Amino acid sequence: MDDQFDFIVVGTGAGGGPLAANLAEAGFRVLALEAGADHRCVVYDAPIFHAQASEHAELRWDFYVRHYADEQQQRRDPKYTPERSGVLYPRGSAVGGSTAVSAMITAYPNNADWDHIADLTGDDSWSAERMRPLFERLEHWHDPAAEPGTPVDPASGHGTAGWLGTTRAAPSVGGREPMFLDIIATMEQATEAMFPGENRPVPADPNDRRSVDHRDEGMIFVPVAVSNGARNGARERLLRAAAEHPGNVELRTGAFVTRVLIEDGRATGVEYAEGDHLYGADPAVDEAGRARAPRTRVHAAREVILAGGAFNTPQLLKLSGIGPRAELESLGIATVVDLPGVGRNLQDRYEITVVDTLTREYPIFAGSTLNPPANGESPDDLFTEWSTERDGPVTTNGTLAAFLKRSSGATTPDPDLFVFSLPVWFRGYYPGYSVDFTRHKDAVTWVVLKAHTTNTAGTVTLASTDPFQPPQIRFSYFDEGNGRPEDLEAVVDGIEFARSLADRLGDLVDHEALPGQAEAGDRDAVREYVRNEAWGHHASCSTPIGADDDPHAVLDSRFRVRGVEGLRVVDAGVFPRIPGYFIAAAVYMVAEKASDVIIADHTRDGAATG
């Protein structure tokens, strides 16, 4: 035993970072372990460079996932990488976890997502009414369209004193480019056509409490985790707490946790390997360094909390003997707790794009590479504007506008399609995608995201007992899964809607590059395009909360791993079904809730030690 803390938090992403900070502020002594480094650079800071951040060697892990078990079907996806037997799925590996490489979209979940957990567990503290204040607590909202000094309307439910700066693209940025205004206008016009004569204000605020209570179709603006023109998130929250409470929180980077230590049915600590680039998903993996990496054991007087995400947390649980007995025994792992739900129920969105080539390039991008300047290279005007004034297009994530729409076969009252536009070329994730992302200055991409998906057939299984080898991740898309046929039809509806938006651009569009009218001119052909090329990037639900009589419920409503004392999970894996539209806000709220639960439990047990 090298050291002892009240709590050990494994992972510093949207779940672990805020949780560790809150525990430290409550007076507990916390050890936060992060496998990556604290790597801050311009592609982290500047919002427009989020694609480059997700392919930065010091910020990411590259998972390769299967959408289909059928190899012939899987190979129909042009994003498939045969030598890795999967499709690229970038994740963050740095302080801040995947919030360090995300597109920063911070959209409030649906009320039904919270009420579902409350109904499932009988724990009313999960109700939408009681979860909303947690969002207000963490949010620091700034509306760039508001007059300076104008107070935020309390009825909106926006937080103004929280730790997460949120905003939206300043209208003045879009107004600088007439072609941007043309694209934005398509969604305004579609809203007017959907609600003729109503003169409803657009864009709507999707995080306004009143909008969430009565979510309707139409144009919205896209809230992002940007503060003063730069990315902010779990990293900033944790580092601020470490600076303000140096005796209460210790952050160790380059700490790859290999197993949870369990004695007499209780988690007592963890073992980790010290070093950089140890994991097989690391693009700069150092296998020789891994062999020399020292192992360290650290102990928690109170609890161990896993926040490694929907892929790594199930892997770590299984390596520690917590998971499906048959799988563990097949690899020679002694079963500590037979929990068949670990690594099952993996869920994601379906996403797809329509890409149009325009008749001319965007004038605002003239002379810009949409990349940070290389060493010795003079910065372009847009980058200079951001670096000197924290203003201009580089302060945005590139999203021009978005539209909430209900598909023809929606299974919930809430709109299930989130369609947004980007002035770039994007078809999903594959090695080098970020280069293509900014290469074309004459493209508009319409991204279709299908929320409230019904497929729960994804799995995370061990590839071996080697903790440094990534697990096998299989999502089982469409016909291979257990979802409803309406999921596929909804995505096709989204493509048809995106095409209708493009039609409103008239002569500005030269041709449809993806999927292409000749290649996918009818609905059957569009279905095939979706089956072949859809992807996701909101992995979740692989260690779900559930009812006490559910044998596949890994956690109880207080985040406790069933059958083990002193062990909880606080990350995207905790959801029984995938929430909302984008997952970051939901996980941030889970971190706040878990903080309250854990602090309450241990305040009853005895005062904090710090």
Side-chain angles (χ1 to χ4, degrees), residues 81-159:
T81 303
E83 58 270 26
R84 302 298 296 270
S85 190
V87 177
L88 177 65
Y89 203 112
R91 298 283 85 186
S93 175
V95 177
S98 290
T99 70
V101 300
S102 73
M104 295 153 285
I105 297 176
T106 309
Y108 193 86
N110 300 103
N111 285 338
D113 297 322
W114 303 125
D115 289 337
H116 172 67
I117 301 177
D119 292 343
L120 192 68
T121 62
D123 184 345
D124 188 58
S125 70
W126 281 98
S127 68
E129 180 181 6
R130 295 179 65 179
M131 290 297 292
R132 178 72 198 196
L134 299 179
F135 181 76
E136 297 174 25
R137 184 172 86 190
L138 69 90
E139 185 188 33
H140 190 148
W141 167 247
H142 168 68
D143 185 352
E147 292 292 330
T150 303
V152 174
D153 182 358
S156 71
H158 275 297

Side-chain angles (χ1 to χ4, degrees), residues 68-341:
Y68 297 98
D70 182 271
E71 182 68 16
Q72 184 177 5
Q73 173 60 51
Q74 184 65 82
R75 285 179 177 269
R76 294 191 179 109
D77 188 345
K79 301 183 295 299
Y80 180 61
T81 303
E83 58 270 26
R84 302 298 296 270
S85 190
V87 177
L88 177 65
Y89 203 112
R91 298 283 85 186
S93 175
V95 177
S98 290
T99 70
V101 300
S102 73
M104 295 153 285
I105 297 176
T106 309
Y108 193 86
N110 300 103
N111 285 338
D113 297 322
W114 303 125
D115 289 337
H116 172 67
I117 301 177
D119 292 343
L120 192 68
T121 62
D123 184 345
D124 188 58
S125 70
W126 281 98
S127 68
E129 180 181 6
R130 295 179 65 179
M131 290 297 292
R132 178 72 198 196
L134 299 179
F135 181 76
E136 297 174 25
R137 184 172 86 190
L138 69 90
E139 185 188 33
H140 190 148
W141 167 247
H142 168 68
D143 185 352
E147 292 292 330
T150 303
V152 174
D153 182 358
S156 71
H158 275 297
T160 58
W163 55 264
L164 182 69
T166 59
T167 187
R168 64 173 175 127
S172 59
V173 173
R176 288 166 53 177
E177 172 52 76
M179 291 171 67
F180 288 174
L181 295 179
D182 290 337
I183 294 167
I184 293 168
T186 66
M187 297 193 183
E188 295 176 346
Q189 295 161 9
T191 304
E192 292 168 2
M194 186 174 287
F195 303 100
E198 293 192 17
N199 295 319
R200 58 177 59 205
V202 293
D205 177 355
N207 289 352
D208 187 299
R209 189 202 331 248
R210 295 159 293 190
S211 296
V212 175
D213 288 344
H214 306 284
R215 247 191 192 138
D216 212 339
E217 297 178 276
M219 181 182 177
I220 62 170
F221 64 66
V222 180
V224 289
V226 171
S227 180
N228 297 318
R231 177 194 297 271
N232 76 138
R235 173 186 180 274
E236 286 66 34
R237 173 68 177 127
L238 178 57
L239 294 184
R240 188 178 304 119
E244 294 174 355
H245 304 274
N248 287 357
V249 59
E250 180 176 335
L251 170 63
R252 296 183 188 177
T253 58
F256 182 86
V257 176
T258 55
R259 67 185 175 108
V260 179
L261 304 176
I262 300 172
E263 298 177 13
D264 298 324
R266 181 176 186 84
T268 60
V270 299
E271 180 178 273
Y272 68 88
E274 298 179 54
D276 297 322
H277 308 294
L278 302 182
Y279 195 41
D282 194 308
V285 61
D286 181 6
E287 295 184 4
R290 177 197 299 164
R292 299 189 301 270
R295 302 292 181 101
T296 299
R297 289 187 174 190
V298 285
H299 287 249
R302 295 178 182 267
E303 293 191 23
V304 174
I305 304 161
L306 305 184
F311 299 157
N312 289 98
T313 290
Q315 180 183 18
L316 183 54
L317 286 170
K318 290 180 179 182
L319 290 171
S320 305
I322 303 167
R325 182 183 298 276
E327 180 184 348
L328 301 183
E329 289 182 348
S330 71
L331 294 169
I333 299 173
T335 302
V336 176
V337 181
D338 181 12
L339 275 184

Side-chain angles (χ1 to χ4, degrees), residues 410-480:
T411 57
T412 70
D414 294 300
D416 61 322
L417 295 174
F418 191 109
V419 181
F420 61 100
S421 56
L422 297 165
V424 296
W425 197 97
F426 179 53
R427 75 181 307 165
Y429 303 103
Y430 51 88
Y433 92 93
S434 64
V435 176
D436 291 339
F437 198 76
T438 57
R439 177 178 291 160
H440 305 269
K441 308 298 190 300
D442 60 349
V444 58
T445 292
W446 312 92
V447 183
V448 176
L449 181 147
K450 164 65 175 113
H452 316 307
T453 47
T454 60
N455 184 10
T456 64
T459 59
V460 180
T461 57
L462 294 179
S464 78
T465 58
D466 180 358
F468 301 105
Q469 183 174 353
Q472 296 173 335
I473 302 160
R474 296 169 176 156
F475 282 101
S476 299
Y477 273 17
F478 300 114
D479 292 344
E480 282 195 1

Side-chain angles (χ1 to χ4, degrees), residues 352 355 436-437 465 471 479 484 497 506 519:
I352 199 74
V355 181
D436 291 339
F437 198 76
T465 58
D479 292 344
R484 299 179 184 177
F497 178 70
E519 296 81 2

